[in-house]
């Protein structure tokens, strides 16, 4: 979920280096107006992505439901294709069942533009998905980029050639990339001709021009490209998919840049190819050091690759990335060195360690920072998980158990469930690592509304927790070599429940609450909390149990007691700078305010919840918060604002792929007060406001919902 947007949808910012392509841009724009699937084809580095992005920005206003961008280059296989596309259109799909069903439902009634960038390595699964989506959504238009057509019926293909080598656009691109105003006649013009007007090749040449000057670059390219094709550079043969035989110039240009790099830069280039997403200096250092490339020499080598335009300069968060074509070249060299498996293992170990640190930091002041770190490195965490599922299932279970709860909070329930179920099936690990994974899977199933399977997993989690905390020798069952605690409790004895048992109880309580059994929830967490040492600040598991108990008290009608405990817990969370539980407590306090007949207090707490869930990017939490706010506004007699907030809430519910739901008590109140305001302002007026909010920008509706009286203390 994105906080703000001036238009519906999400497109990356345009590259300021876009040059020329006026005719091609007109062709793509005209094709989008007449065809539902347009594929821009061409060799690597020819500028397909830039053209598609410019065309998408230009066409966006024609699509009421927005233009949305999906970068498929980060995928190494088709298993997560639907999940990535769903995430790119802000579908935090919480539904069980077939992966594409929720996406088809999300797009069924929309008029939007979906851009699928870099489809070539997933051409067949992309073709199947696109065909299914186009059949399900009559208002959908797809713009794809690929080195070859997708082969879907009705596809309009636009082949993109390089810039005319002797024309003004190639020279303009070289000038802009090099930062120098070359004359048309002379070395710069010769470089454009020798590189056949290929944009990526011109950018690589521009980087060398900044270092050596145009004449030196012209001379080097002359000796390189005038040589026989087999002697242009020393490199193992690439597949036809990557390097078409008709276009060896780009291959030669990248090989030339490779030869101009220092030995350490070439080594780093090869090792960086294991990253599928953005990477920072810390990650590059952890994964790529070894031999002559150490902590002292790596930063300088990375700077050299940036100067050569092999690696993109860091963004505002300090993250670099490599273009797919250049990364593929590096991967070939990594294979040649025989290091591919070793570096992939280091990559997996690094991100497993990052996942473990994120889990450790969940309970405390760095929760939000690590939550965002897990989100930023999502692609490489998935890559590491896939590697470990093949090579070390026990380590895979440890990794996914560490991050699955954060994934679920972020709305990535399908990926969390998929990873957990695979790792639990393949791994034979017992103890803490298994109990934690079962707990995370149980939470995911509850959020998906899969209460039957959740009950089974909850019981398995409780048994595994007992096994880990009482049956195993002290110190056994740790997280597969991570050095983490076994979770057997904070005391020195083994006669009291520890964090694993507490989390198992919290899961059982959550399941009871969502199925309308507050007494069972209160009993199960109360029994474990009474037997455990320590208070709610001692661990995340204890805090979660206390949270469940507060909700159970609310469901039992013990409102004053529930409010008093919730306020104390909220104060504790503010001390800890803990965000997730604090947000859930604001929801409970809003519900309590409604049940006590204080809609003003309920509105303040609902807005506080919405602020928290927006920071966490939790679309399900936003949907729940908008429902309780709409109910509070309706209870206060603010019918028009209630209709507006309720319509926005429906938009967010649709983004989760689920019908409206929530705690049983809130659903009844929502229906009661909504019926009242519908009658007070009139059904036509209510429906008009509701539909306007539903079809407007969800972010704008959320902003309107948050513009209200200050939150209640």
């Amino acid at each position: 979920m994105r906080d703000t947007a001036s238009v519906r949808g999400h497109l990356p910012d345009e590259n300021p280096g876009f040059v020329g392509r006026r005719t091609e841009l007109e062709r793509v724009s005209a094709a989008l107006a007449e065809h539902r699937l347009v594929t821009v084809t061409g060799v690597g580095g020819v500028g397909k992505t830039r053209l598609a992005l410019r065309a998408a920005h230009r066409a966006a206003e024609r699509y009421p439901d927005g233009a949305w961008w999906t970068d498929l280059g980060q995928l190494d296989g088709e298993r997560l294709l639907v999940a990535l596309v769903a995430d790119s259109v802000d579908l935090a799909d919480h539904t069980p069942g077939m992966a594409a069903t929720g996406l088809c439902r999300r797009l069924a009634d929309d008029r939007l533009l979906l851009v699928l960038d870099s489809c070539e390595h997933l051409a067949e699964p992309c073709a199947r998905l696109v065909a299914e989506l186009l059949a399900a959504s009559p208002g959908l238009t797809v713009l794809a980029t690929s080195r070859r057509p997708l082969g879907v019926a009705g596809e309009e293909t636009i082949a993109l050639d390089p810039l005319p080598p002797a024309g003004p656009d190639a020279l303009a691109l070289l000038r802009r990339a090099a930062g120098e105003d070359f004359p048309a006649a002379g070395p710069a013009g010769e470089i454009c001709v020798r590189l056949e007007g290929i944009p990526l090749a011109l950018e690589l040449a521009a980087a060398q021009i900044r270092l050596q000057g145009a004449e030196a670059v012209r001379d080097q390219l002359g000796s390189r490209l005038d040589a026989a094709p087999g002697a242009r550079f020393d490199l193992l043969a690439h597949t036809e998919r990557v390097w078409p035989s008709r276009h060896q110039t780009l291959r030669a240009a990248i090989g030339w840049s490779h030869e101009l790099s220092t030995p350490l830069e070439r080594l780093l280039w090869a090792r960086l190819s294991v990253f599928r997403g953005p990477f920072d200096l810390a990650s590059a250092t952890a994964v790529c050091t070894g031999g002559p490339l150490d902590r002292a020499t790596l930063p300088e080598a990375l700077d050299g690759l940036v100067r050569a335009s092999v690696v993109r300069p860091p963004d505002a968060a300090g993250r670099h990335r490599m273009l797919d074509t250049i990364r593929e070249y590096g991967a070939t060299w990594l294979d040649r060195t025989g290091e591919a498996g070793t570096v992939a293992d280091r990559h997996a170990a690094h991100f497993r360690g990052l996942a473990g640190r994120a889990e450790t930091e969940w309970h405390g002041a760095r929760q939000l920072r690590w939550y965002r770190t897990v989100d930023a490195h999502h692609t490489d965490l998935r890559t590491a998980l896939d590697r470990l599922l093949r090579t070390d299932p026990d380590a895979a279970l440890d990794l996914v158990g560490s991050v699955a709860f954060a994934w679920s909070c972020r709305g990535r329930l399908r990926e969390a469930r998929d990873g957990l179920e695979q790792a639990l099936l393949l791994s034979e690990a017992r103890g803490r690592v298994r109990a934690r994974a079962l707990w995370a899977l149980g939470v995911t199933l509850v959020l998906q509304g899969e209460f039957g399977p959740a009950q089974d997993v909850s019981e398995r989690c409780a048994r595994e927790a007992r096994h880990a905390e009482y049956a195993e020798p002290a110190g056994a069952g740790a997280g597969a070599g991570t050095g983490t605690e076994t979770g057997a409790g904070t005391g020195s004895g083994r006669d009291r429940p520890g964090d694993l048992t507490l989390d198992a109880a919290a899961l059982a309580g959550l399941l009871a609450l969502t199925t309308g059994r507050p007494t069972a929830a209160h009993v199960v967490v109360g029994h474990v909390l009474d037997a455990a040492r320590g208070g709610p600040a001692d661990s995340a598991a204890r805090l979660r149990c206390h949270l469940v108990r507060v909700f159970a008290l609310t469901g039992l009608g013990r409102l004053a007691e529930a409010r008093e405990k919730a306020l104390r817990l909220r104060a504790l969370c503010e001390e800890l700078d803990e965000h997730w539980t604090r947000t859930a407590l604001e929801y409970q306090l809003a519900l309590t305010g409604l049940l006590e007949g204080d809609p003003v207090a309920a509105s303040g707490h609902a807005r506080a919840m919405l602020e928290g869930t927006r920071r966490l990017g939790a679309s399900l939490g936003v949907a729940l918060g908008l429902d309780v706010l709409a109910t509070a506004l309706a209870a206060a007699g603010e019918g028009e604002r209630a209709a507006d907030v309720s319509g926005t809430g429906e938009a967010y519910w649709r983004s989760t792929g689920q019908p409206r739901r929530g705690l049983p008590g809130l659903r009844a109140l929502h229906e009661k007060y909504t019926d009242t305001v519908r009658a007070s302002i009139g059904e036509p007026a209510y429906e008009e406001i509701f539909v306007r909010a539903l079809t407007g920008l969800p972010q704008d509706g959320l902003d309107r919902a948050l513009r209200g009286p200050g939150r209640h203390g």
Side-chain angles (χ1 to χ4, degrees), residues 663-677:
L663 294 178
L666 177 61
R667 291 200 297 270
L669 288 171
H670 184 76
E671 291 172 6
K672 170 187 171 182
Y673 289 119
T674 298
D675 288 344
T676 301
V677 296

Side-chain angles (χ1 to χ4, degrees), residues 108 154 168 182 194 231 253 336 411 519 537 624 634:
F182 307 111
R194 286 188 175 277
R336 189 178 188 187
T519 300
L624 288 166

